[in-house]
Amino acid sequence: MAFSVVFQTALMLALLSWRTCQSEVLAEYSPLTPEGLNISVSSALQHLHFQWTVHKLPYQELQMVFPIEISRVETSKVIWMGNYSTTVKQDQVLHWSWESELPLECAPHFVRIKSIVNDARFPELSFTSNWSSWKEVRAPTPEQNHWLIFPRNKLVEEGSNVTFCYNSARNPGLSCYVESALIDGEQLDSNLFTFTLTNIPFIRTQGTNIYCGVNHTLKDGVVLFVSKVLEEPKNFSCETQDFKTLNCTWDPGVDTGLGYNRQPSQQYTLFDSVSGKKKFCVHNNWCNWEISQDLPATFNFTLTAENYLRKRTVSTAFALTDRVHLKAPESVYFKNVSATNATVTWKVPVFRNYVTLLCQIELHDKENVRQEHNVSIKGNGEFLFSELQPDTEYVVRIRCASARHVWKWSKWAAATLVTAEAAPSKALDVWRIVKSNEGLHNVTLFWKPLSKFHANGKILFYNIVAKNLDKKSELKLLCIPAPTNGTELTLDQGSYQIQVTANNSVGPSPTSEIVISENSGNEEVEEEKINGTKDGFLVSWNPRYGDRAGHVVDWCEHPQNLHCDLQWKYLGSNTTSTVISSDAFRPGIRYNFGIYELSTDKTAYLVEKKTGYTQELAPLDSPQVAVANLTPHSFTLSWKDYDTESQRGFIQGYYVCLKSNSTECHPDSVKEGLPDKSTCCKHDISNPKQKTFLVKNLQPESFYEFSVSSYTSAGEGPNGTFTKVTTPDGRSYMLMHIILPMMLCVLLIAVVCYWKSQWVKEKCYPDIPDPYKSSILSLVKSKENPHLTVMNVKDCIPDAIEVINKSEGTKVQFTGKPLTESESPRPANLYLLPAEDFSGLAPCISFENFTYNESACDSGSCAHIPVPTTAPPCQLGMLASPDNSLTSLENTHTHSQGEIPAGEMNMNYVSQLASPMLGDKDSLLINPPEPVLCSEYKMQMAVPSHLASPVLSE
């Protein structure tokens, strides 16, 4: 018991001693509180920079943690809490920074700090110090600061978040805008407001405008500079062309430079870790690096891009010989150039001649790459081209690279090669057109120009030789200058062999032969219709002759043009069909094909003809129609055929459209509506050769309209203009059929009668009668006296005198007995027509001989009484009786002619056969004639006395 008491007492004393010692140790190391806290402000970066120290460390270094609290506006509003861990050394000044989201100028900040020893090596020191006192921090602002918005001119990257604040103490109702967009603020205290912009976009290099105002009055504004995000350089590589300099290149990406020198473009630095050298690059996409000849030819480059906000790096490592990019070959020349071969030489500018190079050679014509070759060389190169085409222009391209490692090919070096000419290698493709005319052959020769591949040079002329196969010695030679592709020959009807060659500066081509037989051009072959498609025509035929060398099909690609562009196609002897296609074929154009068989002696025989369209179209024009045989119940339409070349398809028939007032159509027609909403009766003429149509079953005196249109397999042509027809009256038409023949008969009779009257007049009483030609005398001779002769006027004595009063128009006729020979001074049968009242005008005396007796007139008893030629017209009046006339005549005759004043009296001798104007005596008394000219003389003729006119006795 005593032992336990003593033990407990000793233990208690030991514990008390240890605690006392521990308390002394702890008391010795307890002052580890941070001291000398100093805070500086970086307004541009919105950073608070902390600086402090920890004195009296028990050891040289300790692992410590420093809890930090930051409050805003007042100490109770803590906005951030965090720990800063570090290794603290004796008397070390510690640094730490904190970035504020809110501009530091907006509000005061308060900071305090404490420390915690957290070192596993010294567990006995694990304790926490007390907080330091709060330290207030205010961002410096200019005196008399009138700024309202913060931060000022801040620089951020695109996509960042930025918080702004503004103070409205002096400007109640202050509102803020970002690029004219109103921003709602958050109130921190009575006068402090903040707003945050998230994911800010890049707008312009001059920055984004932010401003505040009251009632649209600007109070303050700032510019927020938004930079593009700095990109990592792309495609970074280095290469050498001369083993002296490395040329490093890269793609810099977007430029992050901003206006107003707020941030320049990113800068680039090149660093080689092998040599330890560093170079600042002037350009933003390339940089040169000098190669040191005494260092290993290996490099490990790091390229750094940097701006105010961040850095980007990229690296590459390589051996120098693996990054050789040679310059383009030089001095490319050709030698030993012929028509088919040529040698090319070149040089490569390279620093080290011992390096083996691989060169790639290409031979181009105007279309494709013809040859490709790879050649290994050291220094200069040479290569032989073979199998070239004569007179052809080639382009030779050469590039080279290091044979050890093809990093990049050099640029191409090019040169032009032209080979020499050679004689044409192919015979001309020749064809002909033969037309026979008046015992001659008109031959038109055509040939297709040789392609450049076969011409082997410029064709200068064509030689043509025509040999008469019947007369071997007869030749025709022609030289046709190029580029002509045809000529004309006139040959007789014999057989000819025609040879054609093309010639260049080296020589002629192989000969083309064609034979013109005696019957060429006279073949008659029926034409057959074929149907084409948009792809062309399938032309087929039946062979005619067993011994044949081939076939030829010819056609015109432009048949409507003067020069139809003749084309032809040679085919094998066993071919019986072919497809003819051409880009020149057009719808609605008729194409004609001729198929010929070639005999073994090159003679061509026409065996078939084909014609067709790639696509038929509807006609463009309507036929020109004429109307004939118009009757009250019908009329006939007729039209001419189309010109074959103008047809847009094969005419299959015609439509006749008839419009009338009737609503019914003939059974062989159909009713059809027209665009003008009228209707017509449509007749279909399915025979294209029919060019007439009888329109019947019409009504007299009715109005009709008609049009004629043609149609093809593609459709109907235009109706054209309707022609108007009115049928005549039926009764008038019948009367015309009766009256017209009657009128024709009457007219015929009148013509016959007139002709007979003319004949009678000529025979009996012509205007100037000729007794010797009169047929009356022959009639009289034959019946009464065959010895009757023509009477002479000088042998006649007038037997009647008419005296006509010119002014009164009266005429008195006297009749008397015939005079005897003793009374011969008085003319027999003289009728004197006295004037009752002449008013100074002379009377007209007429002698009338009614008949002559051959016995009463001897050779000296008849005489002609002269009459003035300018006798005035006489007007015949009523004649006096014959008795009075005789008395008057006798009285008048007692006076001599000299007693009548000259010019007062005209004497006319009137014959019994005179003009019917006077008529017979009875008619003279009843119907006096119109005034006639006096002094008319009519030839008389002698008749027997027993035939004399009975008027004399009257």
Side-chain angles (χ1 to χ4, degrees), residues 672-748:
E672 183 173 297
L674 299 176
D676 60 356
K677 297 183 179 180
S678 61
T679 60
C680 73
C681 297
K682 198 168 190 179
H683 301 262
D684 183 6
I685 303 175
S686 59
N687 181 10
K689 295 183 179 180
Q690 180 179 338
K691 302 299 185 298
T692 60
F693 182 74
L694 176 63
V695 183
K696 55 187 178 179
N697 299 324
L698 306 180
Q699 296 298 322
E701 296 184 280
S702 297
F703 178 76
Y704 295 92
E705 293 181 80
F706 70 88
S707 70
V708 178
S709 61
S710 57
Y711 62 89
T712 66
S713 62
E716 180 183 358
N719 283 327
T721 304
F722 277 83
T723 303
K724 300 176 181 179
V725 174
T726 302
T727 55
D729 182 11
R731 290 169 295 179
S732 301
Y733 186 77
M734 293 179 64
L735 290 175
M736 286 297 296
H737 276 67
I738 297 173
I739 294 174
L740 187 60
M742 292 179 64
M743 291 180 64
L744 291 175
C745 292
V746 172
L747 180 62
L748 181 61

Side-chain angles (χ1 to χ4, degrees), residues 22 25-26 29-30 32 58-59 62-65 115-130:
Q22 184 180 21
V25 173
L26 292 175
Y29 295 103
S30 62
L32 295 179
Y59 301 102
L62 287 175
Q63 294 290 333
M64 299 184 69
V65 177
S115 63
I116 300 174
V117 178
N118 186 23
D119 197 328
R121 297 173 298 171
F122 310 103
E124 70 278 5
L125 299 179
S126 299
F127 63 90
T128 302
S129 71
N130 296 326

Side-chain angles (χ1 to χ4, degrees), residues 94-116:
L94 301 176
H95 298 274
W96 182 73
S97 295
W98 173 76
E99 181 180 3
S100 173
E101 294 181 356
L102 186 70
L104 298 175
E105 296 87 350
C106 293
H109 289 75
F110 300 91
V111 180
R112 68 178 180 175
I113 189 171
K114 66 179 180 180
S115 63
I116 300 174

Side-chain angles (χ1 to χ4, degrees), residues 318-504:
F318 57 88
L320 181 63
T321 54
D322 293 341
R323 297 295 179 92
V324 178
H325 184 195
L326 298 175
K327 294 181 180 180
E330 299 175 348
S331 305
V332 180
Y333 296 107
F334 299 98
K335 63 181 182 180
N336 303 327
V337 179
S338 66
T340 57
N341 298 311
T343 301
V344 61
T345 62
W346 69 94
K347 295 180 180 180
V348 178
V350 62
F351 176 69
R352 298 175 180 178
N353 292 331
Y354 63 84
V355 176
T356 302
L357 304 179
L358 177 65
C359 293
Q360 191 176 72
I361 306 172
E362 290 183 352
L363 180 71
H364 294 251
D365 60 12
K366 291 184 178 181
E367 298 177 355
N368 301 307
V369 178
R370 294 301 179 184
Q371 296 183 23
E372 286 184 311
H373 305 279
N374 291 327
V375 181
S376 296
I377 63 169
K378 286 186 177 181
N380 300 333
E382 181 175 303
F383 184 77
L384 172 65
F385 289 108
S386 60
E387 299 180 358
L388 302 179
Q389 178 65 27
D391 188 43
T392 302
E393 180 178 306
Y394 295 98
V395 174
V396 176
R397 301 200 309 167
I398 304 174
R399 65 180 181 178
C400 298
S402 173
R404 180 176 179 273
H405 176 77
V406 179
W407 160 248
K408 286 183 181 179
W409 289 99
S410 69
K411 292 183 179 180
W412 289 103
T416 301
L417 167 66
V418 179
T419 55
E421 291 189 2
S425 60
K426 183 181 178 181
L428 288 169
D429 187 355
V430 180
W431 189 236
R432 88 295 182 275
I433 293 179
V434 182
K435 295 181 180 179
S436 296
N437 185 19
E438 297 180 356
L440 298 175
H441 281 320
N442 295 322
V443 180
T444 304
L445 283 179
F446 299 92
W447 55 85
K448 296 179 181 178
L450 292 174
S451 66
K452 184 173 180 58
F453 181 79
H454 296 107
N456 295 339
K458 182 179 179 180
I459 300 300
L460 302 177
F461 57 90
Y462 298 92
N463 278 334
I464 301 173
V465 179
K467 298 180 181 179
N468 192 323
L469 298 180
D470 301 327
K471 302 174 183 178
K472 300 296 184 181
S473 60
E474 185 175 339
L475 293 176
K476 284 190 177 183
L477 304 177
L478 291 177
C479 182
I480 308 299
T484 307
N485 60 353
T487 188
E488 293 185 358
L489 300 174
T490 301
L491 308 174
D492 57 29
Q493 289 288 355
S495 297
Y496 279 84
Q497 182 188 61
I498 300 175
Q499 298 177 339
V500 185
T501 58
N503 297 260
N504 61 14

Side-chain angles (χ1 to χ4, degrees), residues 38 48-53 84 86 92-97:
N38 184 27
L48 290 178
H49 298 285
F50 297 82
Q51 180 178 324
W52 72 93
T53 60
Y84 170 61
T86 184
Q92 179 183 0
V93 179
L94 301 176
H95 298 274
W96 182 73
S97 295

